[in-house]
């Protein structure tokens, strides 16, 4: 029998993205799979049910009907308890599980005998680039952060020389130059801003400069060793962070827009801008914190809210920034999933090779147990 792939509507609050598009329905069918999509799945990404049906999917009315025979379930976020209860034992779930924090979901998946893979654990090796959902989503989030900043800012971004006078270019400071930060720099530059950026990984200096921005960081011995073998940042010492705060403190006072993106895998995001520093910034300036769902880089930032401080600084704390550009985010994520399912289906049959290093790294639950070491610990 053909492999049965199901996609349900996302039910987490504020989740606008979806795990399948008409294009990826066709790609999954080309692999020999049957695809069932729950009605309303694409609504947040402007994809009507009829487009899925035209692409060859069966559109099912509700969750139970969608999931009852599913071999593989594709999702953006982890499934709800109701969805898990509708799965057959041994079903495979692939999603951005947020497995370090969503421990209840992980436990429920294990108890239901589900084989769950977390897309956030796909290793960043060359072969896996096409399924790197952290990058596809961070890239769009970095772009959207600049758009949100521009919308919240009462002035323009580019320098404009008019008969009535000159509009000065916006000064944008990007803190954290991973995938999201690089796209934020590129976007702000395209819009005509004067951009500076900081990171603790030395490799970022050249990347920042190649995008036409200026690099600013405490470049001491600790900085020279701040990158792990996996390419991520280490947690910096209290001394380093104090030096970093002193350096960026003066700079922050002069900025119009600050975009923070700093993350340390498996830990709370580092605080890069204190409330005292926010208090020194100019009225009308804007801070967008892309790390807000991970604890936040900016003191006083509230997840899911836009607030204004007593000194008139606008704090933009939108959760799920990629979800604010949902149609593109869904399209890229759905393609990441098609590439991932290549590892699960061989010759039109379900055949996950659990010795494959990508599947091994992403596997979280199997046969009633939490098998991912980091999550279990
Ligand atoms: P991330 O989301 O984990 O973190 C964002 C940035 O915050 C990082 O650049 C990090 O160095 C920075 N940061 C952490 N603590 C900081 C602090 N105290 N001050 C300032 N900045 C701080 O990072 P990411 O976007 O996932 O990228 C991590 C690395 O992985 C990058 O080198 C990226 O180029 C690399 N990468 C490689 C591949 C691949 O080869 N397939 C794919 C994607 C990303």
């Amino acid at each position: 029998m053909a492999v049965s792939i199901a996609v349900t509507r996302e039910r987490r609050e504020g989740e606008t993205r979806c795990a399948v598009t008409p294009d990826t329905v066709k790609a999954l069918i080309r692999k020999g799979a049957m695809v069932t999509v729950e009605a309303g799945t694409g609504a947040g990404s402007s994809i009507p049910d009829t487009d899925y049906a035209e692409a060859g999917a069966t559109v099912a009315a509700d969750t139970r009907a969608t999931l009852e025979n599913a071999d593989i379930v594709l999702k953006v976020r982890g499934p709800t308890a109701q969805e898990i209860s509708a799965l057959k034992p041994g079903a495979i779930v692939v999603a951005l599980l947020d497995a370090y924090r969503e421990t209840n979901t992980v436990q429920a998946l294990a108890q239901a005998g589900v084989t769950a893979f977390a897309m956030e654990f796909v290793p960043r090796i060359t072969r896996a680039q096409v399924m790197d959902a952290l990058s596809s989503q961070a890239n769009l989030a970095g772009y959207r952060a600049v758009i949100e900043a521009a919308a919240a800012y009462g002035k323009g971004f580019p320098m404009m020389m008019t008969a009535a006078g000159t509009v000065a270019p916006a000064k944008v400071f990007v803190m954290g130059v991973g995938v999201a930060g690089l796209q934020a720099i590129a976007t702000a530059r395209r819009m005509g801003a004067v951009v500076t950026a900081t990171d603790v990984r030395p490799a970022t200096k050249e990347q920042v400069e190649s995008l036409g921005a200026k690099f600013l960081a405490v470049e001491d011995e600790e900085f020279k060793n701040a990158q792990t073998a996996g390419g991520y940042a280490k947690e910096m010492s209290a001394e380093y962070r104090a030096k970093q705060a002193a350096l960026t403190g003066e700079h922050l006072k002069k900025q119009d827009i600050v975009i923070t993106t700093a993350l340390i895998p498996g830990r709370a995001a580092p605080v890069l801008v204190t409330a005292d520093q926010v208090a020194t910034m100019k009225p009308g300036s804007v801070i967008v914190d892309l790390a807000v769902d991970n604890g936040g880089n900016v003191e006083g930032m509230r997840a899911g809210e836009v607030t204004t401080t007593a000194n008139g600084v606008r704090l933009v704390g939108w959760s799920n920034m990629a979800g604010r550009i949902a149609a593109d985010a869904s399209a890229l994520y759905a393609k990441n999933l098609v590439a991932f399912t290549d590892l699960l289906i061989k010759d039109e049959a379900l055949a996950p090779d659990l010795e494959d290093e990508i599947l091994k790294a992403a596997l979280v639950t199997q046969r009633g147990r939490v098998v991912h070491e980091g999550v279990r610990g």
Side-chain angles (χ1 to χ4, degrees):
M1 255 208 6
V3 177
S4 164
I5 298 181
V7 184
T8 52
R9 192 159 59 76
E10 294 298 317
R11 289 184 164 74
R12 307 280 176 140
E13 200 192 321
E15 189 50 79
T16 46
R17 296 169 292 175
C18 60
V20 69
T21 63
D23 272 353
T24 68
V25 165
K26 288 183 199 158
L28 295 169
I29 290 173
R30 279 198 295 275
K31 291 181 205 293
M34 292 174 351
V35 182
T36 307
V37 178
E38 184 180 359
T41 293
S45 300
S46 309
I47 305 170
D49 292 339
T50 47
D51 285 14
Y52 288 119
E54 255 170 52
T58 302
V59 176
D62 58 30
T63 311
R64 281 208 177 265
T66 310
L67 294 178
E68 62 189 354
N69 291 312
D71 299 309
I72 301 174
V73 180
L74 303 178
K75 288 202 61 72
V76 179
R77 308 275 288 280
T80 61
Q82 192 221 353
E83 286 173 320
I84 294 171
S85 71
L87 293 172
K88 64 182 183 192
I92 293 175
V93 169
V94 187
L96 284 164
L97 288 175
D98 196 4
Y100 283 127
R101 286 184 302 176
E102 292 263 351
T103 46
N104 289 344
T105 304
V106 170
Q107 287 301 338
L109 286 164
Q111 275 161 21
V114 169
T115 302
F117 293 100
M119 285 300 278
E120 71 267 24
F121 292 157
V122 166
R124 280 164 148 186
I125 55 175
T126 307
R127 182 165 68 91
Q129 268 180 10
V130 58
M131 49 192 101
D132 182 351
L134 288 183
S135 289
S136 72
Q137 304 303 291
N139 182 43
L140 292 171
Y143 161 80
R144 185 71 194 195
V146 178
I147 302 303
E148 296 289 348
Y153 184 49
K155 299 183 186 175
F157 260 47
M159 183 165 87
M160 290 182 259
M161 286 158 90
T162 79
T166 300
V167 171
K171 291 196 188 84
V172 175
F173 183 34
V174 177
M175 305 182 80
V177 188
V179 177
L182 283 172
Q183 185 55 258
I185 295 170
T187 304
R189 288 277 302 145
R190 280 196 292 268
M191 289 169 66
V194 174
V195 184
T196 50
T198 188
D199 199 294
V200 292
R201 290 181 300 114
T204 58
K205 183 175 183 170
E206 206 182 305
Q207 295 167 350
V208 166
E209 288 169 352
S210 73
L211 288 170
K214 212 169 143 211
F215 189 68
L216 178 87
V218 177
E219 300 183 45
D220 64 4
E221 276 306 307
E222 190 175 348
F223 170 85
K224 288 182 188 134
N225 298 304
Q227 180 154 330
T228 66
Y232 286 106
K234 290 182 186 162
E235 188 158 34
M236 305 306 275
S237 67
E239 293 79 52
Y240 185 92
R241 279 184 282 126
K243 283 196 263 181
Q244 189 182 27
L247 178 74
T248 55
E250 280 309 303
H251 191 63
L252 283 165
K253 287 180 193 166
K254 298 177 222 141
Q255 299 309 303
D256 301 307
I257 311 280
V258 177
I259 294 172
T260 67
T261 79
L263 293 176
I264 302 160
R267 290 174 190 270
V271 172
L272 299 185
V273 183
T274 62
D276 286 347
Q277 287 173 323
V278 175
T280 67
M281 290 179 66
K282 292 180 285 187
S285 52
V286 177
I287 311 181
V288 182
D289 187 353
L290 282 185
V292 74
D293 293 329
N294 295 279
N297 293 142
V298 182
E299 274 179 4
M301 188 70 68
R302 295 164 74 131
E305 289 181 33
V306 178
T307 56
T308 305
T309 64
N311 62 318
V313 178
R314 202 154 294 174
L315 304 180
V316 179
W318 294 132
S319 294
N320 186 13
M321 192 64 88
R324 298 179 75 81
I325 174 167
D328 280 330
S330 299
L332 297 191
Y333 179 65
K335 282 214 174 135
N336 294 144
L337 287 175
V338 171
F340 191 87
T341 56
D342 272 340
L343 306 175
L344 304 175
I345 300 174
K346 292 273 142 46
D347 299 327
E348 305 195 357
L350 196 61
D353 170 12
L354 292 174
E355 288 310 306
D356 183 295
E357 68 175 311
I358 299 173
L359 291 190
K360 248 184 176 168
L363 184 65
V364 177
T365 67
Q366 191 188 25
R367 293 196 201 95
R369 290 189 330 118
V370 179
V371 294
H372 188 281
E373 259 173 47
V375 175
R376 208 172 41 205

